[in-house]
Amino acid sequence: MPRIMKKLFVCLLIFLSFACSVNDDVQPNNVILLPVESAMVPNEFVVGQEYEIFLTYIRPTECHVYKDIYSQIESDGYMIAVMSAVYNENNDCPPITETVEKSFKIKPIRDKNTYVFKFWHGSNGSGEDEFIIFEVPVVN
């Protein structure tokens, strides 16, 4: 009986060593920006209060994983998009078109009268960037 148990134990260890091969060092092939489909912003900001801004985007494939919200200060406002890491080791990325909601917080400061948010909505047929734009006044 002990020999059978020993063989079963060895077989189980061999099986588990192959079945649990997890590679934690997998790095994304690249990081891309995904367009924002919609956004919800307040009608106005009060100085000193914190607000949460919601946006939705479409996750195009199973290989796309949310990384962060991209924000860049530009001369005419804040450009916002979604950063997605793309893990594509074997070029097998089934499409899923999943709608995902994310948010970020902002606390307006006194030196601005209006915040302009330009949510990147993708590029048009001519390759020009398109935006969903919100202008939010700051009140005291």
Side-chain angles (χ1 to χ4, degrees):
M1 184 79 150
R3 286 181 57 190
I4 294 174
M5 292 299 283
K6 199 179 222 183
K7 287 181 181 180
L8 283 174
F9 182 73
V10 171
C11 288
L12 181 62
L13 282 177
I14 292 171
F15 173 76
L16 288 176
S17 68
F18 286 109
C20 294
S21 175
V22 176
N23 186 356
D24 291 333
D25 297 330
V26 173
Q27 296 294 317
N29 294 65
N30 58 3
V31 176
I32 63 168
L33 294 181
L34 294 177
V36 173
E37 294 299 312
S38 65
M40 287 180 20
V41 300
N43 292 328
E44 65 182 19
F45 289 144
V46 175
V47 172
Q49 291 186 10
E50 187 174 75
Y51 296 89
E52 191 166 15
I53 296 177
F54 295 90
L55 58 87
T56 61
Y57 71 96
I58 299 204
R59 182 177 165 216
T61 73
E62 289 183 7
C63 295
H64 289 77
V65 177
Y66 173 79
K67 182 166 178 61
D68 204 354
I69 292 178
Y70 174 84
S71 175
Q72 178 178 328
I73 299 173
E74 298 182 343
S75 62
D76 58 345
Y78 295 90
M79 198 280 273
I80 310 288
V82 174
M83 292 172 60
S84 175
V86 182
Y87 295 88
N88 186 4
E89 290 185 26
N90 56 5
N91 292 330
D92 182 25
C93 292
I96 57 173
T97 59
E98 171 188 20
T99 300
V100 181
E101 181 178 87
K102 293 293 178 184
S103 67
F104 63 94
K105 294 184 179 182
I106 186 167
K107 190 173 187 177
I109 56 177
R110 293 188 192 278
D111 68 343
K112 289 190 175 275
N113 294 327
T114 302
Y115 279 78
V116 178
F117 297 99
K118 299 171 26 179
F119 294 92
W120 185 64
H121 193 56
S123 300
N124 63 20
S126 303
E128 298 170 353
D129 290 331
E130 295 183 336
F131 298 94
I132 303 168
I133 298 174
F134 290 93
E135 294 185 20
V136 183
V138 178
V139 299
N140 290 325

